Amino acid sequence: MYLGKLLSTFDKKKGSAQTPYPIFVELFLDKSLIVARAKSKSGLYKYMDNFVLEAATPTSSEKQMGDAIKHICKLFSIDTASDFKSSEHFRNQLYLMLEKYTKTPKEIVNLMNDKTAEIAKMVDSLMKDICNLPDGYKDDVESNVLNMVEKYFSISYPDKKIFTRDRDAYPLRLNATDEEDSKVEQTAALETPLQSKAIFFDNKKMLQKSQSCDGVSFMFNRINTLYCTRQFKVKIVIYKDFCTLKFTEYTMEEDIIHVLFSFIGTTGIAE
């Protein structure tokens, strides 16, 4: 559905103006999902016949898209999930997307498999000789040891392209909160894959335990690079009852759809 609203804009240099603001709303019935799309724009205000900045009511692209979704829901008598349920589903879906694009490369898997016996000895030594732990801790200790081994194999591996090769995307930055409301923020410098950095593994177990993620910035490969750069960035952030996919540079329609369905996945967001 194509919708539009007349809004006011204000710029210190150009002054005020009236602008028709288009919004596109799509209903993915098989995914139980509503998607609104609009161009991000600063200096937006609710429409006024005679614009007076001091009396104007500011608005935003997110607010207008939210209003458009509410209008469509009312028009078609659509009931939406609770804020908590929506947020939890989106956070889990984003974690699954992150997991998809950070699978351990086969080169690292092979290195770890070659050291299976040594890793097992390390786990036993930590369990029995160092900490004297009961058997109930073994899975947790083994998980920590494997994570540590993968971490140092990964950050020391000379060819960092193994973390981006044969992948549609890789993460540059992420935000997450665990069940105890501890927050983590990770960023890779110079647009290098986050998976090649120690900080990713320092918090990997927390992500696996919570199975959720608050926000990720990805570098995606373009489907067609004939008239564009080879890659583009997209930032996905989860809010209370919705999430945003923000494209900060020119992005073709097929690439937008690719990112959207990479996030949606093959299963529905809301059951």
Side-chain angles (χ1 to χ4, degrees), residues 95-110:
Y95 167 77
L96 294 176
M97 183 179 177
L98 176 66
E99 188 180 53
K100 173 183 177 181
Y101 292 127
T102 56
K103 286 190 177 297
T104 306
K106 64 180 183 298
E107 292 86 351
I108 303 300
V109 171
N110 292 337

Side-chain angles (χ1 to χ4, degrees), residues 178-196:
D178 68 6
E179 58 190 11
E180 296 178 350
D181 289 333
S182 298
K183 294 183 181 294
V184 58
E185 181 174 321
Q186 306 174 5
T187 306
L190 302 176
E191 299 182 356
T192 54
L194 189 62
Q195 193 180 0
S196 66

Side-chain angles (χ1 to χ4, degrees), residues 7-263:
L7 298 175
S8 294
T9 60
F10 180 80
D11 181 88
K12 288 183 179 180
K13 294 182 179 179
K14 299 179 181 179
S16 62
Q18 299 174 0
T19 180
Y21 193 70
I23 299 175
F24 310 101
V25 178
E26 298 167 292
L27 302 179
F28 294 92
L29 302 181
D30 58 331
K31 306 293 183 183
S32 299
L33 190 71
I34 304 173
V35 176
R37 286 204 260 168
K39 185 175 181 180
S40 182
K41 188 174 179 65
S42 61
L44 286 175
Y45 294 85
K46 290 186 177 180
Y47 174 76
M48 295 179 69
D49 280 326
N50 298 302
F51 187 85
V52 179
L53 181 61
E54 291 74 16
T57 302
T59 186
S60 65
S61 302
E62 289 82 1
K63 177 69 167 57
Q64 292 303 314
M65 285 187 281
D67 289 347
I69 289 175
K70 290 176 183 177
H71 176 73
I72 294 300
C73 288
K74 183 177 180 181
L75 190 65
F76 292 102
S77 300
I78 297 172
D79 292 324
T80 56
S82 66
D83 292 354
F84 175 77
K85 186 176 181 181
S86 298
S87 177
E88 288 300 299
H89 274 294
F90 285 137
R91 282 183 167 85
N92 176 250
Q93 205 69 20
L94 184 54
Y95 167 77
L96 294 176
M97 183 179 177
L98 176 66
E99 188 180 53
K100 173 183 177 181
Y101 292 127
T102 56
K103 286 190 177 297
T104 306
K106 64 180 183 298
E107 292 86 351
I108 303 300
V109 171
N110 292 337
L111 290 173
M112 295 176 70
N113 287 341
D114 290 341
K115 298 296 181 180
T116 299
E118 290 85 347
I119 292 171
K121 287 180 182 179
M122 190 185 303
V123 172
D124 287 340
S125 179
L126 191 60
M127 287 280 297
K128 299 173 183 177
D129 303 331
I130 301 174
C131 298
N132 192 28
L133 297 173
D135 291 341
Y137 284 91
K138 185 170 184 180
D139 287 346
D140 192 51
V141 171
E142 186 175 51
S143 175
N144 279 318
V145 170
L146 286 171
N147 183 63
M148 183 179 67
V149 173
E150 181 183 351
K151 168 185 172 178
Y152 287 108
F153 274 143
S154 297
I155 66 176
S156 64
Y157 200 82
D159 182 11
K160 302 305 181 186
K161 291 182 180 179
I162 64 171
F163 303 107
T164 60
R165 189 182 296 126
D166 300 323
R167 297 184 183 185
D168 292 336
Y170 59 89
L172 298 169
R173 177 174 180 166
L174 70 85
N175 296 284
T177 305
D178 68 6
E179 58 190 11
E180 296 178 350
D181 289 333
S182 298
K183 294 183 181 294
V184 58
E185 181 174 321
Q186 306 174 5
T187 306
L190 302 176
E191 299 182 356
T192 54
L194 189 62
Q195 193 180 0
S196 66
K197 304 299 178 181
I199 192 172
F200 176 78
F201 297 94
D202 292 342
N203 296 287
K204 185 177 180 179
K205 190 173 181 182
M206 187 201 84
L207 291 168
Q208 291 174 330
K209 187 175 181 180
S210 67
Q211 297 276 295
S212 66
C213 194
D214 298 328
V216 182
S217 292
F218 287 101
M219 182 71 82
F220 261 82
N221 294 328
R222 294 186 189 273
I223 294 174
N224 188 337
T225 60
L226 182 60
Y227 301 108
C228 307
T229 56
R230 190 172 64 86
Q231 296 175 310
F232 66 94
K233 294 179 191 173
V234 57
K235 183 178 181 180
I236 304 176
V237 181
I238 313 301
Y239 295 93
K240 185 176 69 172
D241 60 343
F242 68 97
C243 69
T244 61
L245 283 71
K246 184 169 287 188
F247 300 86
T248 56
E249 54 195 284
Y250 179 75
T251 312
M252 302 284 282
E253 173 70 10
E254 58 262 39
D255 289 317
I256 294 174
I257 296 299
H258 183 205
V259 173
L260 177 62
F261 276 87
S262 293
F263 175 61

